[in-house]
């Protein structure tokens, strides 16, 4: 018997510093090799904003002040036959860099600061809409 797919709640942070947004190139699946905002699953008892700030610390090593919700996106990956394989609901947050220099780790193979008008071409779905001014 297959378990039904249930939506997984996640939070991300569009951390801005001097007009640039911090992105991480994913080192693991899903979306391996794509540039994205630091983010991940919301833990039990954690608010969306707390999750977004925690993911910034854990994934790329920066502290940020979460300013508010920037948007929400459903990620619906499918296999080659079109069958739904997962459902992620990602709530993106606008945030201001507070401290720390971004670093790579198990989840982030590469990190960088980008102008919202000059994002890399290989990004996760919906990224540009999450960082627009």
């Amino acid at each position: 018997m297959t378990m039904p797919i249930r939506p997984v709640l996640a939070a991300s942070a569009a951390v801005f510093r001097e007009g640039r947004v911090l992105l991480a190139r994913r080192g693991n699946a899903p979306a391996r090799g794509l540039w994205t905002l630091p983010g991940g699953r919301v833990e039990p008892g954690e608010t969306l904003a707390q999750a977004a700030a925690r993911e910034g610390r854990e994934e790329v090593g920066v502290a940020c002040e979460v300013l508010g919700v920037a948007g929400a996106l459903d990620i619906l990956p499918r296999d080659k036959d079109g069958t739904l394989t997962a459902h992620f609901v990602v709530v993106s947050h606008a945030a201001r860099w507070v401290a720390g220099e971004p670093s790579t780790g198990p989840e982030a193979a590469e990190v960088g600061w980008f102008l919202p008008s000059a994002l890399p071409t290989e990004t996760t779905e919906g990224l540009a809409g999450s960082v627009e001014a």
Side-chain angles (χ1 to χ4, degrees):
M1 178 174 159
T2 9
M3 294 298 291
I5 292 174
R6 303 222 184 269
V8 174
L9 183 59
S12 65
V15 180
F16 286 89
R17 180 181 184 186
E18 298 174 358
R20 295 177 184 267
V21 65
L22 178 59
L23 300 181
R25 187 187 291 266
R26 291 200 44 85
N28 301 323
R32 181 187 195 126
L34 297 181
W35 288 95
T36 192
L37 298 173
R41 290 187 173 129
V42 176
E43 301 294 334
E46 188 174 52
T47 68
L48 289 165
Q50 289 169 337
R54 176 184 50 77
E55 286 291 340
R57 287 188 309 274
E58 290 179 0
E59 199 169 311
V60 293
V62 300
C64 66
E65 174 189 1
V66 174
L67 305 173
V69 172
L73 184 66
D74 288 286
I75 307 293
L76 303 165
R78 298 179 183 276
D79 66 16
K80 61 184 176 191
D81 298 324
T83 303
L84 184 68
T85 58
H87 182 176
F88 298 97
V89 179
V90 183
V91 180
S92 298
H93 294 75
R96 182 180 62 81
W97 173 86
V98 173
E101 291 305 320
S103 59
T104 59
E107 294 182 44
E110 191 176 352
V111 293
W113 294 98
F114 296 88
L115 289 171
S117 61
L119 298 174
T121 55
E122 297 176 326
T123 64
T124 52
E125 178 185 335
L127 176 71
S130 296
V131 301
E132 289 176 340

